[in-house]
Amino acid sequence: MLAIHGGAPVRGARDWPVWPQYDVRTETELLAALRSSRWSVSWYAPEGGKSRERLFGEAFARYNGAAYGVSVDHGSSALVIALEALGVGPGDEVIVPALTWVAPATAVLRVGALPVLVDVDPESGCLALDQVRAGWSARTRAVIAVHLACTVAPIAELTELARAAGVALIEDCSQSHGARWDGRAVGTFGDIGVFSLGAAKSLAAGEAGAAITDDPELYRRMLMLRADSRAYTESAPAPGEYELVELGEIMGGNYCMSELTAGILLDQLPRLDDQHARREIRARQLEDGLARISGLSSIPVPAQVDRRAIYEYGIRFEPGAFGAASVEQVAAALSAELGTRVYPPRVPLPSGTLLRPQTKPRFSRLWDAVRATGRDFSGAHHYRDHTLLMHHSVLLGERGDIDDILTALAKVRASAESLSDADSPALKGISA
Ligand SMILES: *Cc1c(COP(=O)(O)O)cnc(C)c1O
């Protein structure tokens, strides 16, 4: 009997790996930031030297092979300053995938432009060329490509399309830190790469973000856009000196990263590659097992990707693989077997509750235009209804964890008919 119906779960009391991961070295970095008295880039250090957020920006750019990195308080802020640095504003349209976290769409609204939501590939959940073309108009100024969950959008083709059209390309790498396409890090193909460094992300610091670019002018603009029109001094500040100078070439807001947060990131960044390698070993084991369960497979990864990053590991199932059970029912049954969260992707933005421009005066005039797009989002809905996600931390443990996941999948698949049976007394009990 399935655990959700009161049977014994596949997994007993054994814990899953915790996330985020930290140890005494993290505590040392954080304590050093605390004791520096330099809690903000806007404050000064008695002993001088570069701020931690500047050092993290430099280190993160190096990690990705980009020329410049800018630390910010959120991935959402990175999207806003990227759009502003590129000069996107009122009257412009920006192509955004319909299946992603809401921030790429709200960032476009926040700069006064119109997000044009387009459908995604039903198997990868990412933007494909024909969908970008379907959203194209004379007002298109930029495309935001999201590398979703555990794969990479067809970035070489998207870059070529944007270049040929003279349109800017922003890569949202919030779910793909350190993924590589033909040996080159994602985030370096477009004009600007943006990253969330939120607590759940594979490079995590609670509330944080970053942007990378190779363009010195975009870098300079992003520095001012996130620090109230101020940019760094040429060299490291002397003891007691401020590090930000008031340039005022472009008006900014305050989206600066706290020094305490930057301290955590300086500890976490050097751990990322090892975590990628550990997750990849477990993902391969999971994929070997998935190949032996009919109707199940992993999310496709383009052949050019020589390193994938896994934020959420996605398992695809063919229609009918779990009988008539919905993705919610299957996910709930698997969660009960495993004692960790298995969940469907978010619903596409046009059907969800998060994108609500009509609720704010400054966006409401754009709402009719957003709504009027009236596009077909069947690819996004197919992906949403046939994908099971697990957080990347489940891949940071033992081989036995993978065996448990495979056992649970086979068990739930074998008893799928009992899930879709709405008259099942046990199910009634749960929903009551
Ligand atoms: C998490 C995420 C964001 C938002 O980042 P915050 O740091 O929460 O502002 C943006 N885009 C994508 C694709 C994300 O997954």
Side-chain angles (χ1 to χ4, degrees):
M1 183 153 60
L2 294 176
I4 200 166
H5 295 154
V10 165
R11 190 168 171 108
R14 222 147 49 81
D15 285 336
W16 290 91
V18 292
W19 187 263
Q21 298 194 341
Y22 68 94
D23 57 24
V24 69
R25 288 175 297 156
T26 325
E27 293 173 4
T28 305
E29 283 284 354
L30 189 52
L31 211 52
L34 182 77
R35 289 176 177 156
S36 73
S37 307
R38 179 101 194 258
W39 293 0
S40 160
V41 64
S42 294
W43 195 232
Y44 62 88
E47 69 277 16
K50 288 181 183 176
S51 57
R52 283 174 169 77
E53 61 94 65
R54 186 175 186 174
L55 293 173
F56 173 72
E58 293 172 356
F60 192 58
R62 253 193 324 274
Y63 174 82
N64 289 294
Y68 307 101
V70 181
S71 295
V72 288
D73 58 355
H74 287 97
S76 304
S77 313
L79 283 160
V80 168
I81 65 167
L83 289 161
E84 289 187 315
L86 289 161
V88 177
D92 295 333
E93 293 181 357
V94 179
I95 292 176
V96 174
L99 191 92
T100 178
W101 179 241
V102 69
T106 48
V108 174
L109 290 165
R110 286 168 65 187
V111 304
L114 186 68
V116 175
L117 300 174
V118 300
D119 202 11
V120 296
D121 182 89
E123 321 227 303
S124 71
C126 295
L127 274 187
L129 284 196
D130 48 341
Q131 288 134 3
V132 174
R133 288 199 192 98
W136 208 266
S137 86
R139 294 169 170 232
T140 305
R141 272 295 298 279
V143 175
I144 300 179
V146 179
H147 304 300
L148 198 73
C150 50
T151 191
V152 174
I155 196 60
E157 295 167 20
L158 290 170
T159 307
E160 207 174 296
L161 179 74
R163 291 264 156 81
V167 158
L169 177 63
I170 296 172
E171 287 175 79
D172 186 338
C173 310
S174 297
Q175 307 191 0
S176 59
H177 314 72
R180 292 203 202 107
W181 177 286
D182 274 341
R184 188 169 148 193
V186 299
T188 64
F189 288 82
D191 299 275
I192 297 174
V194 301
F195 299 79
S196 169
L197 308 169
K201 301 290 154 79
S202 58
L203 178 61
E207 304 281 0
I212 56 173
T213 186
D214 283 334
D215 182 325
E217 192 50 34
L218 290 176
Y219 170 63
R220 196 176 156 79
R221 286 166 70 83
M222 287 197 289
L223 283 182
M224 286 182 271
L225 283 163
R226 59 117 215 197
D228 281 321
S229 320
R230 298 165 299 169
Y232 295 129
T233 49
E234 243 355 87
S235 43
E241 220 175 61
Y242 286 116
E243 191 173 6
L244 294 179
V245 285
E246 299 181 10
L247 297 183
E249 291 159 23
I250 181 165
M251 189 175 80
N254 184 0
Y255 305 126
C256 290
M257 178 190 285
S258 155
E259 284 296 281
L260 306 183
T261 302
I264 294 175
L265 286 166
L266 287 169
D267 165 76
Q268 293 286 308
L269 181 59
R271 301 170 190 248
L272 181 56
D273 281 347
D274 175 57
Q275 291 167 345
H276 275 317
R278 283 158 56 203
R279 281 188 287 254
E280 189 59 32
I281 290 169
R282 296 290 169 248
R284 294 262 164 105
Q285 290 166 346
L286 188 49
E287 278 152 22
D288 286 346
L290 285 177
R292 279 180 259 120
I293 308 177
S294 72
L296 303 190
S297 59
S298 54
I299 303 280
V301 179
Q304 297 92 331
V305 174
D306 31 41
R307 182 168 76 184
R308 84 180 133 174
I310 298 169
Y311 166 57
E312 292 171 312
Y313 189 84
I315 297 168
R316 295 160 63 227
F317 60 92
E318 284 168 17
F322 291 96
S326 68
V327 66
E328 286 89 352
Q329 289 173 318
V330 175
L334 287 166
S335 300
E337 296 298 339
L338 290 168
T340 189
R341 241 162 60 77
V342 180
Y343 48 96
R346 307 197 59 82
V347 295
L349 290 172
S351 318
T353 50
L354 301 179
L355 186 61
R356 287 278 179 272
Q358 72 275 29
T359 60
K360 272 195 172 176
R362 69 184 146 134
F363 302 146
S364 55
R365 77 192 158 76
L366 292 172
W367 174 235
D368 284 334
V370 174
R371 194 168 36 184
T373 53
R375 284 165 216 285
D376 165 31
F377 299 109
S378 56
H381 282 285
H382 183 91
Y383 177 91
R384 199 272 163 184
D385 293 340
H386 298 91
T387 305
L388 297 158
L389 297 175
M390 302 188 81
H391 187 246
H392 64 84
S393 56
V394 302
L395 300 177
L396 285 173
E398 305 301 316
R399 162 81 225 203
D401 299 340
I402 303 307
D403 295 333
D404 286 347
I405 294 170
L406 291 167
T407 305
L409 285 165
K411 180 180 172 185
V412 172
R413 188 157 140 55
S415 305
E417 291 314 327
S418 72
L419 283 177
S420 53
D421 182 358
D423 295 329
S424 149
L427 254 190
K428 259 189 201 149
I430 279 163
S431 57

